[in-house]
mmCIF file with all atom_site columns, all heavy atoms in Angstrom:
data_model
loop_
_atom_site.group_PDB
_atom_site.id
_atom_site.type_symbol
_atom_site.label_atom_id
_atom_site.label_alt_id
_atom_site.label_comp_id
_atom_site.label_asym_id
_atom_site.label_entity_id
_atom_site.label_seq_id
_atom_site.pdbx_PDB_ins_code
_atom_site.Cartn_x
_atom_site.Cartn_y
_atom_site.Cartn_z
_atom_site.occupancy
_atom_site.B_iso_or_equiv
_atom_site.pdbx_formal_charge
_atom_site.auth_seq_id
_atom_site.auth_comp_id
_atom_site.auth_asym_id
_atom_site.auth_atom_id
_atom_site.pdbx_PDB_model_num
ATOM   1  N  N   . GLU A 1 227 ? 53.446 -47.059 93.581 1.00 50.00 ? 227 GLU A N   1
ATOM   2  C  CA  . GLU A 1 227 ? 52.894 -45.829 94.116 1.00 50.00 ? 227 GLU A CA  1
ATOM   3  C  C   . GLU A 1 227 ? 53.087 -44.673 93.138 1.00 50.00 ? 227 GLU A C   1
ATOM   4  O  O   . GLU A 1 227 ? 54.027 -44.642 92.368 1.00 50.00 ? 227 GLU A O   1
ATOM   5  C  CB  . GLU A 1 227 ? 53.631 -45.485 95.411 1.00 50.00 ? 227 GLU A CB  1
ATOM   6  C  CG  . GLU A 1 227 ? 55.113 -45.312 95.144 1.00 50.00 ? 227 GLU A CG  1
ATOM   7  C  CD  . GLU A 1 227 ? 55.873 -44.818 96.356 1.00 50.00 ? 227 GLU A CD  1
ATOM   8  O  OE1 . GLU A 1 227 ? 55.316 -44.078 97.146 1.00 50.00 ? 227 GLU A OE1 1
ATOM   9  O  OE2 . GLU A 1 227 ? 57.038 -45.194 96.485 1.00 50.00 ? 227 GLU A OE2 1
ATOM   10 N  N   . CYS A 1 229 ? 54.146 -41.207 93.573 1.00 58.00 ? 229 CYS A N   1
ATOM   11 C  CA  . CYS A 1 229 ? 54.672 -40.345 94.616 1.00 58.00 ? 229 CYS A CA  1
ATOM   12 C  C   . CYS A 1 229 ? 54.269 -38.907 94.348 1.00 58.00 ? 229 CYS A C   1
ATOM   13 O  O   . CYS A 1 229 ? 54.051 -38.516 93.209 1.00 58.00 ? 229 CYS A O   1
ATOM   14 C  CB  . CYS A 1 229 ? 56.189 -40.443 94.665 1.00 58.00 ? 229 CYS A CB  1
ATOM   15 S  SG  . CYS A 1 229 ? 56.747 -42.092 95.076 1.00 58.00 ? 229 CYS A SG  1
ATOM   16 N  N   . ASP A 1 282 ? 63.133 -39.027 92.132 1.00 95.00 ? 282 ASP A N   1
ATOM   17 C  CA  . ASP A 1 282 ? 62.135 -40.101 92.101 1.00 95.00 ? 282 ASP A CA  1
ATOM   18 C  C   . ASP A 1 282 ? 61.027 -39.798 91.094 1.00 95.00 ? 282 ASP A C   1
ATOM   19 O  O   . ASP A 1 282 ? 60.609 -40.670 90.339 1.00 95.00 ? 282 ASP A O   1
ATOM   20 C  CB  . ASP A 1 282 ? 61.554 -40.250 93.514 1.00 95.00 ? 282 ASP A CB  1
ATOM   21 C  CG  . ASP A 1 282 ? 60.442 -41.264 93.598 1.00 95.00 ? 282 ASP A CG  1
ATOM   22 O  OD1 . ASP A 1 282 ? 60.720 -42.452 93.383 1.00 95.00 ? 282 ASP A OD1 1
ATOM   23 O  OD2 . ASP A 1 282 ? 59.298 -40.861 93.884 1.00 95.00 ? 282 ASP A OD2 1
ATOM   24 N  N   . HIS A 1 286 ? 59.837 -41.970 87.917 1.00 93.00 ? 286 HIS A N   1
ATOM   25 C  CA  . HIS A 1 286 ? 58.466 -42.447 87.702 1.00 93.00 ? 286 HIS A CA  1
ATOM   26 C  C   . HIS A 1 286 ? 57.956 -42.035 86.322 1.00 93.00 ? 286 HIS A C   1
ATOM   27 O  O   . HIS A 1 286 ? 57.241 -42.787 85.667 1.00 93.00 ? 286 HIS A O   1
ATOM   28 C  CB  . HIS A 1 286 ? 57.522 -41.863 88.760 1.00 93.00 ? 286 HIS A CB  1
ATOM   29 C  CG  . HIS A 1 286 ? 57.566 -42.568 90.082 1.00 93.00 ? 286 HIS A CG  1
ATOM   30 N  ND1 . HIS A 1 286 ? 57.143 -43.861 90.243 1.00 93.00 ? 286 HIS A ND1 1
ATOM   31 C  CD2 . HIS A 1 286 ? 57.970 -42.154 91.302 1.00 93.00 ? 286 HIS A CD2 1
ATOM   32 C  CE1 . HIS A 1 286 ? 57.277 -44.222 91.516 1.00 93.00 ? 286 HIS A CE1 1
ATOM   33 N  NE2 . HIS A 1 286 ? 57.792 -43.199 92.179 1.00 93.00 ? 286 HIS A NE2 1
ATOM   34 N  N   . HIS A 1 325 ? 65.826 -45.875 97.450 1.00 97.00 ? 325 HIS A N   1
ATOM   35 C  CA  . HIS A 1 325 ? 65.587 -46.925 96.453 1.00 97.00 ? 325 HIS A CA  1
ATOM   36 C  C   . HIS A 1 325 ? 65.915 -46.358 95.088 1.00 97.00 ? 325 HIS A C   1
ATOM   37 O  O   . HIS A 1 325 ? 66.131 -45.144 94.947 1.00 97.00 ? 325 HIS A O   1
ATOM   38 C  CB  . HIS A 1 325 ? 64.117 -47.388 96.470 1.00 97.00 ? 325 HIS A CB  1
ATOM   39 C  CG  . HIS A 1 325 ? 63.151 -46.244 96.351 1.00 97.00 ? 325 HIS A CG  1
ATOM   40 N  ND1 . HIS A 1 325 ? 62.935 -45.576 95.170 1.00 97.00 ? 325 HIS A ND1 1
ATOM   41 C  CD2 . HIS A 1 325 ? 62.392 -45.607 97.285 1.00 97.00 ? 325 HIS A CD2 1
ATOM   42 C  CE1 . HIS A 1 325 ? 62.076 -44.603 95.367 1.00 97.00 ? 325 HIS A CE1 1
ATOM   43 N  NE2 . HIS A 1 325 ? 61.730 -44.580 96.650 1.00 97.00 ? 325 HIS A NE2 1
ATOM   44 N  N   . HIS A 1 354 ? 59.309 -48.161 91.276 1.00 96.00 ? 354 HIS A N   1
ATOM   45 C  CA  . HIS A 1 354 ? 60.635 -48.319 91.872 1.00 96.00 ? 354 HIS A CA  1
ATOM   46 C  C   . HIS A 1 354 ? 61.227 -49.651 91.425 1.00 96.00 ? 354 HIS A C   1
ATOM   47 O  O   . HIS A 1 354 ? 60.503 -50.531 90.964 1.00 96.00 ? 354 HIS A O   1
ATOM   48 C  CB  . HIS A 1 354 ? 60.528 -48.318 93.407 1.00 96.00 ? 354 HIS A CB  1
ATOM   49 C  CG  . HIS A 1 354 ? 59.947 -47.054 93.954 1.00 96.00 ? 354 HIS A CG  1
ATOM   50 N  ND1 . HIS A 1 354 ? 59.586 -46.909 95.272 1.00 96.00 ? 354 HIS A ND1 1
ATOM   51 C  CD2 . HIS A 1 354 ? 59.661 -45.870 93.359 1.00 96.00 ? 354 HIS A CD2 1
ATOM   52 C  CE1 . HIS A 1 354 ? 59.110 -45.692 95.467 1.00 96.00 ? 354 HIS A CE1 1
ATOM   53 N  NE2 . HIS A 1 354 ? 59.135 -45.040 94.320 1.00 96.00 ? 354 HIS A NE2 1
HETATM 54 ZN ZN1 . ZN  B 2 .   ? 58.573 -43.057 94.162 1.00 51.16 ? 401 ZN  B ZN1 1
#
Side-chain angles (χ1 to χ4, degrees):
E227 59 174 328
C229 297
D282 176 65
H286 280 294
H325 52 74
H354 300 171

